């Protein structure tokens, strides 16, 4: 079969950061089912252990490392260990991320920096750690998990939007700088996904009614619902496979149509 229709990840090593649960877990699981060897990291051993137990329960043989992706020394050490123990990383998904929902003028510079550190500096650090071996190997796939906030702003998420907007441009710049080495760097821009990160936006109100944001976002989404992390996996496998070798510097929005829609008339 020609590479153009090769969606398999057979024999590839995939590192997904922050993949003990949530979107990272869904993507890593889909990669395993497409034939890849899965490696993931999380900031705490307890979350790595929980993640390993989940992967095992799903019949997935994953390897987990404790690594704070904002710490360049830890990242460099982790990548060296992965290369020695598993093999050169063919696919990197920069998934680890945090958000702080604070009105900008109430946010401290330290809080702003903390979000930028995980959501923008860390993808730079991890990509920089894996690219040299990808160049030597003659190919590589880097997928950065962007956001609606790579394109849109909203109240209380200034740091997160700045980071995710920057991540879109980092994606394009890695494409520009390393496309010549057969490295494709693309983004996935999820819409609103039901994960622990968005749980506060879906919490039932004291009177049992839906959270106002829950109602708002369903009205802003043509699909009329929150998306599931598993709905990102097909696009994630495509961008990790040879089928996307001519796709580079692109952010694929998997948002149920939010970016195309002005919103339901009240
Ligand atoms: P999540 O449930 O909060 O999971 C985030 C993961 O990142 C956790 O495993 C977390 O580990 C890990 N992490 C955080 N800081 C880290 C660090 N310094 N080093 C290593 N791991 C770290 O988030 P999610 O909803 O799955 O989102 C995953 C990615 O998708 C994020 O980049 C997020 O911005 C993006 N995204 C989410 C949505 C959505 O609607 N959910 C939409 C668009 C984009 P700990 O638990 O140990 O902190
Ligand atoms: C928020 C949400 C969003 C999602 C996602 C949307 O507070 O608006 O957390 O930012 O996480 O990034 O694409």
């Amino acid at each position: 079969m020609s590479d153009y229709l090769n969606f398999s990840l057979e024999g590839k090593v995939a590192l997904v950061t922050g993949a003990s649960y949530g979107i990272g877990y869904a993507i890593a699981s889909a990669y395993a089912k497409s034939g890849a060897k899965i490696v993931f990291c999380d900031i705490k051993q307890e979350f790595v252990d929980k993640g390993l137990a989940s992967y095992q329960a799903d019949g997935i043989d994953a390897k987990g490392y404790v690594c704070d992706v904002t710490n360049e020394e830890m990242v460099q050490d982790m990548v060296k260990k992965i290369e020695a123990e598993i093999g050169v990383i063919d696919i990197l998904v920069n998934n680890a991320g945090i958000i702080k929902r604070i009105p900008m003028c109430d946010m401290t510079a330290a809080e702003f920096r903390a979000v930028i550190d995980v959501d923008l500096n860390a993808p730079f650090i991890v990509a920089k750690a894996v690219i040299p071996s990808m160049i030597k190997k003659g190919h590589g796939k880097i997928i950065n998990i962007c956001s609606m906030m790579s394109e849109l702003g909203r109240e209380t998420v200034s740091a997160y939007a700045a980071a995710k907007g920057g991540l879109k441009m980092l994606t394009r710049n890695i494409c520009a700088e390393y496309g010549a080495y057969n490295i494709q760097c693309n983004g996935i821009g999820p819409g609103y996904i039901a994960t622990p990160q968005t749980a506060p936006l879906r919490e039932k109100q004291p009177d049992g009614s839906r959270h106002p944001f829950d109602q708002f976002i369903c009205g802003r989404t043509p699909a009329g619902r929150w998306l599931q992390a598993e709905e990102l996996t097909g696009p994630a496998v495509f961008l990790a496979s040879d089928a996307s070798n001519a796709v580079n510097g692109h952010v694929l929005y998997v948002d149920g149509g939010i970016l195309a829609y002005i919103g339901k008339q009240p």
Side-chain angles (χ1 to χ4, degrees):
M1 173 177 64
S2 83
D3 273 354
Y4 307 125
L5 286 175
N6 181 9
F7 292 87
S8 167
L9 305 183
E10 202 59 52
K12 299 284 175 66
V13 175
L15 167 60
V16 184
T17 64
S20 297
Y21 53 86
I23 288 172
Y25 183 86
I27 290 176
S29 302
Y31 283 3
K33 289 171 188 148
S34 300
K37 288 184 201 161
I38 297 306
V39 183
F40 73 101
C41 71
D42 218 310
I43 201 167
K44 301 177 197 123
Q45 187 62 51
E46 70 173 289
F47 283 112
V48 170
D49 294 343
K50 271 189 192 163
L52 286 170
S54 303
Y55 286 113
Q56 196 172 25
D58 287 346
I60 293 168
D61 177 21
K63 187 117 173 74
Y65 292 84
V66 176
C67 180
D68 175 350
V69 290
T70 65
N71 181 319
E72 185 161 31
E73 198 178 333
M74 282 185 88
V75 168
Q76 294 276 351
D77 288 348
M78 174 180 68
V79 170
K80 285 193 185 85
K81 273 189 203 147
I82 293 168
E83 291 184 354
E85 295 167 9
I86 313 281
V88 168
I89 294 163
D90 301 288
I91 303 158
L92 165 65
V93 179
N94 276 312
N95 167 77
I98 62 170
I99 191 167
K100 291 183 189 295
R101 299 183 182 97
I102 305 168
M104 195 183 98
C105 291
D106 298 341
M107 183 178 250
T108 65
E111 287 165 329
F112 190 93
R113 283 195 197 96
V115 176
I116 299 290
D117 216 12
V118 180
D119 294 4
L120 181 57
N121 293 344
F124 155 75
I125 287 169
V126 187
K128 179 184 160 191
V130 304
I131 283 173
S133 295
M134 286 180 171
I135 291 174
K136 286 193 195 106
K137 198 166 182 182
H139 67 248
K141 295 283 187 180
I142 298 172
I143 293 138
N144 294 322
I145 305 300
C146 297
S147 161
M148 293 289 93
M149 275 63 215
S150 296
E151 301 292 343
L152 304 170
R154 86 173 184 84
E155 298 80 3
T156 76
V157 296
S158 58
Y160 185 84
K164 294 296 188 179
L167 186 55
K168 173 176 73 173
M169 287 315 301
L170 178 63
T171 300
R172 291 181 180 164
N173 215 76
I174 293 171
C175 154
E177 200 161 351
Y178 296 100
Y181 300 96
N182 192 26
I183 292 172
Q184 290 84 44
C185 180
N186 292 288
I188 287 178
Y192 279 80
I193 316 290
T195 70
Q197 191 247 48
T198 56
L201 304 175
R202 289 176 279 112
E203 268 165 11
K204 284 273 187 247
Q205 301 299 283
D207 64 4
S209 62
R210 285 169 65 191
H211 193 293
F213 193 92
D214 175 7
Q215 299 179 70
F216 161 70
I217 214 57
C218 289
R220 269 295 266 113
T221 309
R225 61 181 175 85
W226 288 78
L227 303 182
Q228 299 304 310
E230 290 70 20
E231 293 181 271
L232 302 171
T233 56
V237 168
F238 165 64
L239 289 176
S241 72
D242 287 336
S244 64
N245 285 352
V247 179
N248 211 347
H250 182 75
V251 178
L252 177 52
Y253 287 100
V254 186
D255 65 357
I258 292 178
L259 288 179
Y261 187 39
I262 196 169
K264 194 178 291 303
Q265 186 182 345

